[in-house]
Amino acid sequence: MKLCVIEGDGIGKEVVTVAVGVLEALLPDLELRFAEAGWETFQRQGAALPGATLECARECGAVFFGAVSSPMRLVEGYRSPIVQLRRELGCHANLRPTLSLPLSICRQGVDLIIVRENTEDLYVGDEQSDGEVALAIKRITRTASLRVARSAFELASHAGRRRVTIIHKANILPRTDGLFRDCAREVAAEYPGIQVDEMLVDTAAMRLVQAPESFDVLLAPNLYGDILSDLAAAFGGGLGLAASLNLGERAAIAEPVHGSAPDIAGKGIANPLAAILSAAMLLRVWWRRDDLAARVEAAVRQTLQDGVATPDILTPGVGTQHVARAVMERLTG
Ligand code: NAI
Ligand code: MG
């Protein structure tokens, strides 16, 4: 069992160490390989995602990615390493769960997961403009739609979830969103044990605000999935708790949703729970260790219930290492 560890920049380094420590405690056979990516790497080596890092990630299959800083201006030769890594490893689905935790800042009773197509839709970035008319290509393919739908239904059946809601806007976009929906229906037919329904994306946004607890798995094309998953993350306590997994056939990248947080980097107060919960996703979805993932989630829940949390969650709050020790004690004690 191998894990490619990419700490990245800023708080990436601080939270990855903690999450990887949790995995090491649970998987005695885990072999760690450390690789570099990000802004600091770019400044040192002239590449944000060096070839050696890509090779390491391919070889391991499982990757843990912290966070990287991206310049807010155009820098010649710099490309976002995480976007490149997802594409190079063929991680076609982005899994974003929202789970209620025992905190006043969380909406209670929510346990949903958004499965977002990760490779196409308007995000192919194919735009044109003559100053009067601007156009963007919305690319939807049968291959990518079937692939992400299969990931959603596989996840639902392995995770014991009951229902998949297909999100689209096929009333206005019958060719593109219609194709996405038809592919999802086609895959759904192979999973008779799982209920399927459909919802227009605007209705879904309203329902998510009104009754997030009524959703289970949401399957969405790239753009709708991006927007709805940020909306849903607000119910789960925000960035310090938001976990994600990029999933493909040959690789998976665990990645907390947050960035490198330069405003708090080096202060020892970054919330490590988003990274720890991303590690739990790697355990459940990639390594099929539902038992271990459930233990990690229970330890996180207990830690919060006992009032141990960083300042983004609680005032005054404690440091990263304090939370890390508390989780570890509840996990192994
Ligand atoms: P950010 O997620 O780094 O920070 C937003 C706010 O949330 C900040 O106030 C930060 O202190 C707080 N925050 C984030 N994670 C936290 C944690 N674990 N514990 C406590 N507080 C936390 O987003 P921002 O500020 O927009 O971007 C900063 C840098 O990160 C930029 O260079 C951006 O390009 C990069 N970024 C990288 C991502 C990635 O590597 N996947 C994703 C998002 C941003
Ligand atoms: Mg987003």
Side-chain angles (χ1 to χ4, degrees):
M1 220 174 219
K2 291 180 194 151
L3 179 67
C4 171
V5 181
I6 302 172
E7 295 180 339
D9 301 310
I11 66 163
K13 297 181 204 296
E14 301 168 36
V15 299
V16 166
T17 313
V18 176
V20 169
V22 166
L23 289 174
E24 272 186 297
L26 294 173
L27 300 168
D29 296 333
L30 188 66
E31 186 191 321
L32 299 180
R33 304 248 184 108
F34 288 86
E36 294 188 320
W39 179 240
E40 285 175 24
T41 305
F42 177 76
Q43 286 173 309
R44 258 199 320 274
Q45 305 191 23
L49 185 70
T53 299
L54 196 53
E55 206 174 297
C56 172
R58 281 215 181 91
E59 234 176 83
C60 294
V63 180
F64 202 102
F65 187 94
V68 296
S69 300
S70 289
M72 296 291 172
R73 59 194 148 77
L74 183 69
V75 172
E76 209 52 56
Y78 184 90
R79 282 160 70 205
S80 162
I82 183 64
V83 173
Q84 217 181 326
L85 192 63
R86 286 174 191 147
R87 193 170 38 231
E88 291 284 348
L89 296 184
C91 290
H92 61 263
N94 186 237
L95 277 43
R96 291 261 211 115
T98 295
L99 181 68
S100 300
L101 289 161
L103 294 168
S104 57
I105 56 170
C106 288
R107 175 97 159 231
Q108 293 309 300
V110 183
D111 180 10
L112 62 84
I113 183 160
I114 297 182
V115 179
R116 163 187 169 194
E117 201 285 322
N118 220 11
T119 65
E120 56 181 24
D121 197 351
L122 281 165
Y123 288 43
V124 294
D126 189 354
E127 292 188 293
Q128 298 171 27
S129 171
D130 63 8
E132 263 309 304
V133 179
L135 299 170
I137 298 290
K138 177 177 164 95
R139 181 181 162 86
I140 300 285
T141 64
R142 236 180 97 73
T143 305
S145 302
L146 289 172
R147 206 167 48 186
V148 72
R150 194 162 306 282
S151 293
F153 282 91
E154 277 297 303
L155 174 99
S157 55
H158 284 289
R161 289 182 176 268
R162 284 215 170 84
R163 186 161 41 91
V164 174
T165 303
I166 306 165
I167 307 294
H168 60 79
K169 188 80 183 173
N171 53 339
I172 305 294
L173 298 164
R175 290 206 167 79
T176 48
D177 279 7
L179 178 60
F180 183 85
R181 178 206 52 205
D182 293 347
C183 289
R185 283 182 181 164
E186 202 176 310
V187 172
E190 297 170 30
Y191 296 83
I194 296 171
Q195 297 168 36
V196 188
D197 61 8
E198 292 176 23
M199 208 176 277
L200 296 175
V201 61
D202 41 357
T203 310
M206 189 188 63
R207 287 292 294 164
L208 265 173
V209 173
Q210 278 180 334
E213 62 287 342
S214 68
F215 288 92
D216 196 345
V217 179
L218 292 90
L219 167 61
N222 206 341
L223 176 65
Y224 308 149
D226 188 7
I227 296 168
L228 294 183
S229 61
D230 275 27
L231 193 162
F235 296 132
L239 280 176
L241 292 165
S244 87
L245 188 77
N246 298 285
L247 182 65
E249 263 109 49
R250 288 165 283 118
I253 310 166
E255 180 202 350
V257 171
H258 63 74
S260 60
D263 54 336
I264 58 164
K267 294 188 177 158
I269 54 165
N271 190 342
L273 297 180
I276 293 175
L277 292 169
S278 303
M281 294 187 75
L282 204 50
L283 285 166
R284 173 171 290 122
V285 179
W286 187 248
W287 285 316
R288 294 275 156 87
R289 292 300 305 264
D290 202 45
D291 54 332
L292 298 181
R295 275 177 59 194
V296 174
E297 288 159 359
V300 166
R301 191 174 279 276
Q302 194 57 53
T303 301
L304 291 170
Q305 216 146 27
D306 295 341
V308 181
T310 42
D312 56 311
I313 303 286
L314 267 188
T315 308
V318 295
T320 310
Q321 287 309 319
H322 190 137
V323 173
R325 275 194 303 277
V327 172
M328 207 62 119
E329 273 163 29
R330 284 153 186 81
L331 194 60
T332 55

